[in-house]
């Protein structure tokens, strides 16, 4: 614990250090000057979002506690993590671009001679407390210290599954710089990152790190770490462009038309890292929009179908580059089966004719080379429902029957 929070009674209660710090002084003044800050909070593109679950509370609790459904929300065995070694990532990528998905939204991008680490979460739980909260479904592929030098750490927003205090404290002892959305720098300074190593950006602002240009771009989400959600820290997606390659990391976002604008201004991309997990019919959103796959059209997260659609929007409306699905497989954050996002994204990408990579956590790959495509999760997952598929008249195998349910 560190720090105290005053209650209305006048008593002071311990405040967990993981809550971070609220923006103040010049940082808060800069937030108030932002064109995206209005009525005391940051505003989402496309209008307000609801961050409270929708639908029946009793139905939600019933689904949450259902024994069979709960068993599908975790792997049935050991997740096959790639044992990443320094040799995997020490040599320069032959094509100038290599991605290593470390699980959830953490990705090491080696681009045109520099190394960018997106949303690094090496902690055991995405929670302010070490004894409670969603726990990892697989170990980290390699120790943080074995990762080697990183030129810039990019943070999308301040939720616990994207901004991990123990990881930031470990990185604070290195020479890396941090690119973060407005207000998020307050947390990092509180945890020991010096102000001169913070690059704090509003949407559409850019900064340079070596030969890379980093641009904070809009996303449709929300923020907050403590008991109060002040909406005083911004959330963002990110474009990173080098001399030869460019990539996009979505952070967390609901689907919105702004992907087309981002693609027009900064694309096309050699690779996109797109959030496709933690969707739910209980998360609010527009359920009238047509979709090739079932599932909610959430206000703050994307379903697999939306993720593929977002990638295509970013690429000018046509298949191009490589889609790397993120925000799935590592933490249980929704009611869907843990491997469902990967399985459904395979189907949606195949239907769209879009190349997609499905590496094991820790498995490096080059978008210009052979893409990892093995559905590794099937070995430790029950059958994944595909309700859009019509069952065959006479299923030829138990697997065909399972795939049709």
């Amino acid at each position: 614990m560190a720090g105290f929070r005053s209650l209305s009674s006048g008593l002071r209660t311990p405040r967990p250090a993981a809550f971070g710090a609220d923006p103040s002084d010049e940082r808060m003044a800069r937030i108030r000057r932002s064109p995206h800050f209005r009525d005391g909070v940051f505003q989402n593109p496309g209008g307000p979002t609801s961050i409270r679950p929708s639908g029946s509370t009793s139905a939600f609790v019933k689904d949450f506690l259902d024994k069979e459904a709960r068993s599908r929300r975790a792997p049935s065995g050991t997740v096959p993590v790639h044992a990443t070694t320094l040799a995997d990532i020490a040599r320069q990528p032959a094509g100038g671009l290599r991605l290593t998905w470390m699980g959830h939204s953490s990705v090491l991008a080696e681009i045109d001679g520099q190394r960018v680490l997106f949303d690094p979460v090496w902690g055991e739980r995405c929670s302010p407390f070490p004894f409670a909260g969603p726990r990892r479904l697989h170990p980290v592929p390699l120790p943080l210290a074995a990762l080697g030098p990183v030129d810039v750490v990019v943070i999308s927003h301040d939720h616990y599954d994207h901004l991990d205090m123990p990881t930031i404290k470990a990185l604070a002892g290195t020479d890396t710089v941090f690119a973060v959305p407005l207000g998020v720098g307050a947390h990092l300074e509180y945890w020991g990152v010096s102000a001169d190593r913070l690059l704090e950006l509003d949407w559409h602002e850019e900064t340079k790190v070596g030969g890379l240009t980093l641009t904070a771009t809009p996303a449709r989400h929300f923020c907050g770490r403590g008991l109060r959600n002040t909406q005083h820290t911004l959330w963002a997606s990110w474009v990173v462009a080098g001399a030869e390659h460019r990539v996009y990391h979505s952070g967390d976002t609901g689907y919105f038309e702004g992907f087309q604008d981002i693609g027009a201004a900064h694309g096309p991309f050699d690779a996109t890292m797109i959030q496709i997990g933690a969707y739910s019919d209980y998360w609010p959103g527009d359920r009238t929009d047509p979709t090739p796959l079932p599932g909610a059209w959430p206000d703050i997260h994307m379903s697999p179908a939306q993720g593929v659609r977002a990638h295509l929007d970013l690429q000018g409306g046509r298949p191009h580059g490589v889609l790397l699905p993120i925000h799935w497989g590592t933490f249980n954050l929704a009611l869907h089966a843990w491997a469902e996002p990967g399985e459904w994204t395979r189907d949606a990408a195949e239907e769209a004719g879009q190349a997609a990579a499905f590496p094991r956590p820790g498995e490096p790959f080059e978008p210009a080379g052979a893409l990892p495509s093995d559905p590794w999760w099937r070995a430790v997952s029950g059958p994944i429902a595909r309700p859009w598929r019509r069952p065959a008249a006479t299923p030829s195998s138990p697997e065909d029957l399972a795939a049709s349910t």
Side-chain angles (χ1 to χ4, degrees), residues 162-240:
H162 297 259
L163 180 61
D164 179 54
M165 182 186 71
T167 304
I168 297 299
K169 283 191 167 186
L171 290 167
T174 69
D175 293 330
T176 190
V177 296
F178 296 80
V180 303
L182 278 183
V184 174
H187 298 310
L188 274 64
E189 277 196 66
Y190 185 65
W191 297 331
V193 178
S194 59
D196 61 350
R197 291 165 56 199
L198 286 171
L199 306 168
E200 210 159 340
L201 275 62
D202 199 351
W203 291 340
H204 308 298
E205 291 183 342
E206 67 179 41
T207 188
K208 291 189 178 296
V209 176
L212 301 179
T213 299
L214 292 83
T215 307
T217 45
R220 187 167 170 80
H221 199 57
F222 67 111
C223 65
R225 292 180 73 85
L227 299 177
R228 296 182 304 122
N229 187 0
T230 60
Q231 299 292 80
H232 286 170
T233 58
L234 187 60
W235 47 96
S237 57
W238 288 87
V239 171
V240 178

Side-chain angles (χ1 to χ4, degrees), residues 41-391:
V41 296
F42 279 110
Q43 304 291 325
N44 262 309
T49 57
S50 175
I51 60 176
R52 296 181 180 276
S54 61
S56 166
T57 301
S58 60
F60 176 85
V61 172
K62 181 181 178 181
D63 287 350
F64 180 78
L65 297 177
D66 181 80
K67 185 176 180 180
E68 182 180 352
R70 290 184 69 181
S71 70
R72 293 195 295 266
R73 296 201 292 270
S76 58
T78 302
V79 173
V81 174
H82 179 83
T84 314
T85 66
L86 184 58
D88 284 328
I89 53 181
R91 58 181 174 77
Q92 291 292 319
L97 175 64
R98 182 168 57 216
L99 302 178
T100 307
W101 179 53
M102 299 296 178
H104 201 58
S105 297
S106 303
V107 182
L108 174 67
E110 299 167 273
I111 175 170
D112 296 338
Q114 294 191 263
R115 308 175 91 223
V116 182
L117 185 58
F118 291 96
D119 284 358
V121 174
W122 258 249
E124 184 65 18
R125 296 182 187 271
C126 52
S127 164
F129 308 108
F131 53 84
R135 192 171 190 173
R136 283 185 167 273
L137 301 176
H138 65 79
V140 292
L142 81 169
L144 190 62
L147 194 62
V150 172
D151 294 290
V152 56
V153 174
V154 176
I155 304 296
S156 64
H157 64 297
D158 67 2
H159 286 159
Y160 289 95
D161 57 322
H162 297 259
L163 180 61
D164 179 54
M165 182 186 71
T167 304
I168 297 299
K169 283 191 167 186
L171 290 167
T174 69
D175 293 330
T176 190
V177 296
F178 296 80
V180 303
L182 278 183
V184 174
H187 298 310
L188 274 64
E189 277 196 66
Y190 185 65
W191 297 331
V193 178
S194 59
D196 61 350
R197 291 165 56 199
L198 286 171
L199 306 168
E200 210 159 340
L201 275 62
D202 199 351
W203 291 340
H204 308 298
E205 291 183 342
E206 67 179 41
T207 188
K208 291 189 178 296
V209 176
L212 301 179
T213 299
L214 292 83
T215 307
T217 45
R220 187 167 170 80
H221 199 57
F222 67 111
C223 65
R225 292 180 73 85
L227 299 177
R228 296 182 304 122
N229 187 0
T230 60
Q231 299 292 80
H232 286 170
T233 58
L234 187 60
W235 47 96
S237 57
W238 288 87
V239 171
V240 178
E244 302 292 335
H245 298 89
R246 57 186 57 224
V247 298
Y248 172 85
H249 189 283
S250 71
D252 274 2
T253 180
Y255 179 82
F256 70 116
E257 293 182 356
F259 291 118
Q260 299 173 29
D261 298 329
I262 295 170
H266 302 283
F269 299 96
D270 298 282
T272 69
M273 295 153 271
I274 302 289
Q275 173 265 309
I276 50 86
Y279 49 86
S280 171
D281 286 330
Y282 292 102
W283 291 187
D286 178 9
R287 295 175 177 79
T288 64
D289 209 331
T291 172
L293 300 181
W297 286 74
D299 223 9
I300 54 176
H301 284 159
M302 289 192 289
S303 66
Q306 288 179 300
V308 172
R309 179 176 171 182
H311 172 91
L312 296 175
D313 286 352
L314 290 160
Q315 306 288 31
R318 62 184 180 87
H320 181 79
V322 174
L323 164 63
L324 171 62
I326 61 173
H327 202 264
W328 74 286
T330 303
F331 297 107
N332 177 6
L333 301 177
L335 299 183
H336 59 64
W338 79 276
E340 183 180 280
E343 196 71 59
W344 285 12
T345 302
R346 278 176 62 90
D347 288 351
E350 182 178 349
E351 181 173 309
Q354 172 58 52
F358 296 92
R360 291 167 174 81
E363 181 181 2
F365 73 94
E366 297 194 30
L371 300 181
S373 58
D374 177 44
W376 50 266
W377 54 86
R378 291 179 183 172
V380 288
S381 170
I384 302 297
R386 291 174 172 80
W388 59 91
R389 289 187 176 175
R390 293 183 179 276

